[in-house]
Amino acid sequence: MKFKTIEWKGDRVRILDQRRLPQEVRYLDCWDASSVAEAIRTMAIRGAPAIGVAAAMGIALAAKNVHFRHPRSFIKSTEKVCEEMRQTRPTAVNLFWAVDRMRRILDQVHTLGIEKTKTKLVREALRIYEEDVEVNRKIGGYGKKLIKNGDGVLTHCNAGALATAGYGTALGVIYAARDEGKRFHVFSGETRPQLQGARLTAWELVQEKIPVTVITDNMAGWLMKKGKINLVLVGADRIARNGDTANKIGTYSLAVLSKYHGIPFYVVAPISTLDLTLASGWDIPIEEREIQEVTHFRGNPITPKGVSVFNPAFDVTPHGLIHAIITEKGIIRKPFHKNLEKMFATPKSCTERFPSGAEAPLGRSQTVPYRTRNSKGA
Ligand code: MRU
């Protein structure tokens, strides 16, 4: 990739500011954890895996910069930062997964002492970053066989290098197929209201010289009807035990359209996006964002003043509409409730990520729609 989504610089975290793309390639230097949290909240960095990496680096940065003599004070101050990160965005489970990994290192302070724990926290954040790139390449390796020469591949939002530590999930599959010499065409849905498809996916693919056509979200059905699309690949923010998948708003509509037209609809995600503590998608907390994202376009109002607006950032696609889930462990097919649990139960790396009895990142009782500060909702 010709750019870095996020970078650990030792004394700061450098983030490619995605709010400015594609007009400007500008990096944000975050010198403290609060600016990392703000970058996540305001979507300077976004995409489930990238949010997790950013949160981990923010925690490492905060821990590195404090001076305490007593482990208890060190834990208290770092735990506060973990909580600040947890409050940034509610739907992508990778955020809570990454914070939990950092939290487990923090617990070792009683045996390691403060200085060694600081070093370990930095190392863990870097490991989360490096693992993500590796995982995405593996996902690409499994997924590439699903793309055939001449295919029209539709993707939604941005599940590319910009949404991860590098390479991407849904776009990772596309990069891997391209690297194998396959020729196909990508359609990128614009993804109202934040336009991740039009701004970010199109930007990534143009740089990689992969043929891409941007369509508005309401064009997908017609393109399917005309036979232009024969595969749909989307990312995920949280996958429940039964395979129900939360992803960017509009994903559900594409899944319904795909079913109607007989087009295979695949979810592409790392294992860290699975939330086996949730039985179904009904329990996934859905972020509602500021109404200005809908009422305004680049600062200009596009709706009448005072109109009622609803702005859920994600929807949930029921497992019945999903053909299969492409992960770094392979392609998971139906029945998802059996196959996801089987995968989770056996390999060591999976049990490490979700130790049995681990606390749910967001429990069933907390599934009320999330509202960001200042949001009024519908
Ligand atoms: O609101 P965003 O831009 O963070 O939403 C991103 C998505 O919905 C992605 O599809 C998902 O996080 C997967 S990224 C590999």
Side-chain angles (χ1 to χ4, degrees), residues 173-194:
V173 170
I174 284 167
Y175 295 137
R178 182 274 314 266
D179 291 345
E180 234 179 31
K182 289 185 181 168
R183 287 171 179 269
F184 52 91
H185 196 91
V186 180
F187 291 91
S188 176
E190 68 171 350
T191 320
R192 276 281 290 155
Q194 292 252 7

Side-chain angles (χ1 to χ4, degrees), residues 3 20 27 36 46 108 139 154 156 169 195 199 206 208 226-227 234 281 302 327 361 370:
F3 57 89
R20 295 174 180 271
Y27 289 87
V36 175
R46 30 67 50 203
Q108 296 174 16
I139 292 176
L154 175 65
H156 189 58
T169 56
L195 306 180
R199 297 188 300 110
V206 164
E208 288 296 311
K226 289 183 62 156
V234 298
I302 54 168
T327 74
Y370 173 94

Side-chain angles (χ1 to χ4, degrees), residues 18 43 45-51 89 92 94 136 156-160 162-164 168-170 191 194 196 200 234-238 246-249 251 268-270 273 287 289 313-314:
Q18 299 188 30
M43 294 175 68
I45 186 159
R46 30 67 50 203
I51 294 171
R89 296 194 71 191
N94 311 59
N136 292 336
H156 189 58
C157 192
N158 172 267
L162 288 167
T164 60
T169 56
T191 320
Q194 292 252 7
Q196 290 94 328
L200 309 177
V234 298
D237 284 81
R238 195 184 291 227
N247 191 48
K248 180 52 56 192
I249 190 80
T251 304
V268 190
T273 307
E287 175 182 13
R289 293 186 63 84
F314 301 94

Side-chain angles (χ1 to χ4, degrees), residues 83-119:
E83 190 47 33
E84 188 180 359
M85 295 299 166
R86 287 188 198 104
Q87 293 300 323
T88 52
R89 296 194 71 191
T91 303
V93 77
N94 311 59
L95 168 70
F96 304 92
W97 167 84
V99 172
D100 284 351
R101 268 180 73 160
M102 298 299 281
R103 191 63 189 75
R104 285 199 284 276
I105 300 292
L106 184 60
D107 282 339
Q108 296 174 16
V109 68
H110 298 291
T111 43
L112 291 177
I114 293 175
E115 288 316 306
K116 277 196 181 142
T117 307
K118 285 183 177 183
T119 310

